Amino acid sequence: GAGVSQSPRYKVAKRGQDVALRCDPISGHVSLFWYQQALGQGPEFLTYFQNEAQLDKSGLPSDRFFAERPEGSVSTLKIQRTQQEDSAVYLCASSLVGQVGYEQYFGPGTRLTVT
Amino acid sequence: AQKVTQAQTEISVVEKEDVTLDCVYETRDTTYYLFWYKQPPSGELVFLIRRNSFDEQNEISGRYSWNFQKSTSSFNFTITASQVVDSAVYFCALSELYSGNNRKLIWGLGTSLAVNP
């Protein structure tokens, strides 16, 4: 079946621009996660949704980062006034249920480069 | 605090060699889950295995095997008869049960495995 998809795959933004990154989770998956992965590092948690509810946003680095999942399916991660330090791969993952301990399935990521 | 340590940053082997990737974790909880993921050069993280803290049985899947030892807080991953297609970054990750609304995975820094022909 279809996996997690993300768009765009690559995004170049000038410093100060706003960007929106889209994630389509696996159909029927309750949980959705956003991670940020810098080059040579492991993923760093940003935020977590259970259906449309954003239950944890403790990893968002600043108030320039905003995520939503209004209908409990597709999610958008928005970054306002991008800075060079925002350059990274943004990974989306989904999980079938809301309980802890279930594997997360990842999309291919969006590579954001801020110039 | 929860933490995952993958002490090996890079490993290089010749095809058909066996290789073990180490993972050591720290957690305060008695119920937790451990994972291994593979990230090939294409970039997409691929789920390999999940293990809960009450199941210490070792697992074998083809050329892959995992050794979970609670006594040493380790969850090591062995690839037998490595192949070039095994070249990737491998991540170990931890999730705790009693974490409230927190469902996040705590990740190690990854081990980059290069299998040379």
Side-chain angles (χ1 to χ4, degrees):
Chain A
V4 178
S5 61
Q6 293 185 247
S7 60
R9 290 293 311 277
Y10 304 91
K11 176 70 179 178
V12 178
K14 290 187 177 178
R15 194 162 62 103
Q17 280 186 335
D18 298 349
V19 298
L21 312 181
R22 178 187 168 104
C23 172
D24 280 87
I26 294 173
S27 178
H29 276 200
V30 168
S31 298
L32 185 145
F33 303 80
W34 283 99
Y35 292 87
Q36 181 189 61
Q37 187 175 24
L39 191 64
Q41 302 291 315
E44 292 284 342
F45 171 80
L46 294 177
T47 187
Y48 158 66
F49 289 87
Q50 186 167 320
N51 295 308
E52 68 278 5
Q54 188 174 22
L55 297 187
D56 186 351
K57 54 182 180 179
S58 62
L60 296 176
S62 77
D63 58 8
R64 296 186 296 104
F65 287 71
F66 172 76
E68 60 183 4
R69 192 186 186 200
E71 297 178 359
S73 178
V74 170
S75 176
T76 303
L77 176 66
K78 298 179 180 177
I79 308 173
Q80 297 177 324
R81 304 181 303 281
T82 52
Q83 304 294 315
Q84 282 194 319
E85 62 263 28
D86 300 334
S87 296
V89 175
Y90 290 85
L91 298 168
C92 176
S94 70
S95 184
L96 179 61
V97 296
Q99 285 89 353
V100 168
Y102 284 83
E103 56 269 30
Q104 297 175 19
Y105 295 93
F106 283 80
T110 295
R111 182 177 297 277
L112 173 65
T113 303
V114 181
T115 60
Chain B
Q2 59 280 63
K3 184 179 177 182
V4 175
T5 302
Q6 296 180 254
Q8 305 147 308
T9 305
E10 296 181 358
I11 299 176
S12 182
V13 299
V14 176
E15 207 170 15
K16 297 184 184 176
E17 280 186 35
D18 298 347
V19 57
T20 296
L21 310 181
D22 298 333
C23 173
V24 174
Y25 61 92
E26 294 176 30
T27 177
R28 295 166 297 185
D29 284 340
T30 56
T31 302
Y32 52 88
Y33 302 84
L34 295 163
F35 303 81
W36 275 95
Y37 281 83
K38 174 182 180 180
Q39 189 171 42
S42 61
E44 191 160 338
L45 280 158
V46 177
F47 166 76
L48 295 178
I49 190 171
R50 176 189 69 187
R51 181 56 97 226
N52 74 56
S53 53
F54 296 108
D55 183 1
E56 286 195 73
Q57 275 193 327
N58 291 331
E59 176 141 349
I60 298 175
S61 176
R63 296 183 298 107
Y64 294 172
S65 62
W66 290 269
N67 183 5
F68 177 30
Q69 292 197 338
K70 289 178 73 172
S71 61
T72 56
S73 297
S74 65
F75 186 42
N76 296 337
F77 173 30
T78 297
I79 302 175
T80 303
S82 59
Q83 299 177 0
V84 172
V85 294
D86 296 328
S87 297
V89 180
Y90 291 86
F91 289 97
C92 181
L94 165 72
S95 181
E96 296 173 323
L97 176 64
Y98 298 107
S99 53
N101 284 326
N102 182 345
R103 298 288 185 270
K104 66 183 178 184
L105 292 174
I106 307 299
W107 298 80
L109 293 180
T111 297
S112 178
L113 173 65
V115 181
N116 303 298

